[in-house]
Amino acid sequence: MTRILKVGAAQLGPIQRDNNRKEVVERLIALLHKGAAESCDLVVFPELALTTFFPRWWSEDISEFDHFFETEMPNQEVQPLFDKAKKLGVGFHLGYAEMTPDGHRYNTAILVSKNGDMLGKYRKVHLPGHEENEPWRTFQHLERYYFEPGNELKVFGAFDGVLGMAICNDRRWSETYRVLGLQGCELALIGYNTPVHYPPDPSQDVLAGFHNHLVMQSGAYQNGMWVVGVAKAGNEEGCDLLGESSIIAPSGEIVAQCSTVEDELVSAVVDLDMCANYKETLFDFDRYRRPEVYKSITSQVGVEIPEGIEVRKQDDENPEG
Ligand code: CDT
């Protein structure tokens, strides 16, 4: 059996604060049509694809922003996307803000089949930014205020393969790919909203695109998996968001990339069997991994310089020289 999929990376341009769900869902449907025209089996939408990236604003009253959350999925406003997916026979991945019936808020992504059925749900594990208002910033990044973290990185048997989901900041952490890779993940779907400006260290701004691809390409290669990284891009409420959505092969090579910061779909043929080229050779986990040496990865959170390690001055290291 050949396991070949056509996958579309459906980048969104900005969603402004006053854009309603109906307008946004119409844009998603237009991208779904483009995916269908390119014979896509699966179209991947970004993180928080139904609304503006609202964690850029502080509100004393957290419930002031509850209208940015979906209390059920699908709901009346998003149902047309599910219906169109079924009609076109194209599956999709969608990020949105989730409010559970008992009032928990998550940054969530779902995977939907070609029949419009829900195949899986993932809640963002690595929440970046800060918990409190930081007025010195030109914009906030309050994901740690508006969301609770998810507690599981899991895979789903779907689209002829083993699929995983991660959301935005998750992609910067090598643990994300490895935990998915250890479950046999062959295709990781990752939506993002990445401000180009990083207020705590603006020297990183010019490297935003480089870092975006660096982490996803290395995650793909080191775990022998395809990675689809999809942006919400462009100038959203005065904040520039990175584009450069891409489809990355298990070799680490980018095989398709968006060139605008607007609504744009690029697609690629994704041969899931190509993962074995890496999973069964250089990155044959069974053969080469040494988990007994990696214990600190799960027992420790922050850096702990081992007892007895002194930081010596360079001059002391080579008194002769
Ligand atoms: N949405 C999201 O996770 N964005 C982060 C910004 C990091 S700076 C707080 C990212 O990793 O791209």
Side-chain angles (χ1 to χ4, degrees):
M1 178 182 89
T2 54
R3 297 183 307 136
I4 293 182
L5 296 177
K6 190 87 182 278
V7 178
Q11 177 175 287
L12 282 173
I15 299 176
Q16 308 304 347
R17 190 169 184 163
D18 60 1
N19 291 152
N20 62 38
R21 298 284 201 290
K22 187 170 180 292
E23 292 167 321
V24 175
V25 168
E26 278 167 11
R27 286 167 59 185
L28 299 178
I29 288 174
L31 286 164
L32 204 64
H33 271 289
K34 283 195 179 148
E38 295 190 22
S39 307
C40 287
D41 299 287
L42 173 63
V43 162
V44 182
F45 295 114
E47 173 192 37
L48 298 179
L50 296 172
T51 63
T52 198
F53 189 78
F54 61 86
R56 72 168 63 89
W57 295 298
W58 165 252
S59 171
E60 202 74 51
D61 173 10
I62 194 170
S63 66
E64 189 191 331
F65 285 176
D66 281 356
H67 62 283
F68 287 122
F69 287 77
E70 313 303 316
T71 53
E72 45 182 354
M73 187 57 68
N75 54 42
Q76 212 184 342
E77 283 153 320
V78 185
Q79 187 64 48
L81 178 67
F82 281 71
D83 295 343
K84 188 60 75 175
K86 187 173 178 179
K87 189 160 179 212
L88 297 172
V90 181
F92 67 90
H93 163 277
L94 177 75
Y96 65 95
E98 175 193 10
M99 172 83 78
T100 66
D102 51 351
H104 295 279
R105 297 173 177 84
Y106 297 102
N107 189 339
T108 295
I110 50 168
L111 182 63
V112 176
S113 79
K114 291 179 174 190
N115 292 325
D117 299 327
M118 192 82 77
L119 294 172
K121 178 188 277 193
Y122 167 72
R123 291 171 175 155
K124 187 172 183 176
V125 166
H126 299 94
L127 293 177
H130 44 112
E131 294 82 1
E132 307 277 349
N133 190 26
E134 296 188 1
W136 60 270
R137 290 173 182 257
T138 41
F139 53 85
Q140 305 293 305
H141 200 109
L142 285 157
E143 286 195 60
R144 298 172 73 85
Y145 175 62
Y146 288 109
F147 302 121
E148 294 174 48
N151 288 319
E152 201 178 6
L153 285 157
K154 53 188 177 183
V155 295
F156 305 89
F159 296 92
D160 296 336
V162 182
L163 271 61
M165 292 185 269
I167 302 180
C168 197
N169 188 258
D170 288 325
R171 78 195 188 288
R172 301 190 193 274
W173 299 88
S174 51
E175 291 88 343
T176 300
Y177 305 92
R178 185 49 51 92
V179 170
L180 291 175
L182 283 166
Q183 298 171 77
C185 182
E186 295 172 304
L187 171 59
L189 313 176
I190 309 178
Y192 58 91
N193 283 251
T194 294
V196 174
H197 176 49
Y198 182 55
D201 178 13
S203 74
Q204 296 181 29
D205 295 2
V206 291
L207 300 171
F210 167 66
H211 288 154
N212 177 46
H213 285 148
L214 176 73
V215 291
M216 293 194 292
Q217 291 181 259
S218 52
Y221 168 64
Q222 290 171 345
N223 295 279
M225 64 172 75
W226 289 86
V227 172
V228 182
V230 185
K232 173 134 65 59
N235 191 281
E236 197 176 82
E237 296 290 346
C239 178
D240 277 319
L241 299 174
L242 184 72
E244 302 185 9
S245 302
S246 57
I247 301 177
I248 300 161
S251 60
E253 294 165 290
I254 294 174
V255 297
Q257 184 177 326
C258 287
S259 57
T260 71
V261 286
E262 291 157 19
D263 291 7
E264 179 182 353
L265 181 128
V266 293
S267 62
V269 173
V270 166
D271 180 354
L272 294 174
D273 290 328
M274 196 187 282
C275 297
N277 296 3
Y278 292 86
K279 286 187 192 292
E280 292 175 7
T281 59
L282 261 172
F283 296 108
D284 179 343
F285 288 176
D286 263 338
R287 185 166 185 191
Y288 297 119
R289 285 188 77 250
R290 298 286 312 283
E292 69 279 16
V293 182
Y294 314 145
K295 289 195 176 112
S296 55
I297 296 274
T298 53
S299 66
Q300 199 177 311
V301 181
V303 174
E304 293 172 26
I305 297 177
E307 240 173 78
I309 297 289
E310 283 172 44
V311 181
R312 291 190 298 191
K313 289 208 168 82
Q314 288 189 57
D315 289 351
D316 298 342
E317 282 168 11
N318 185 6
E320 305 286 296

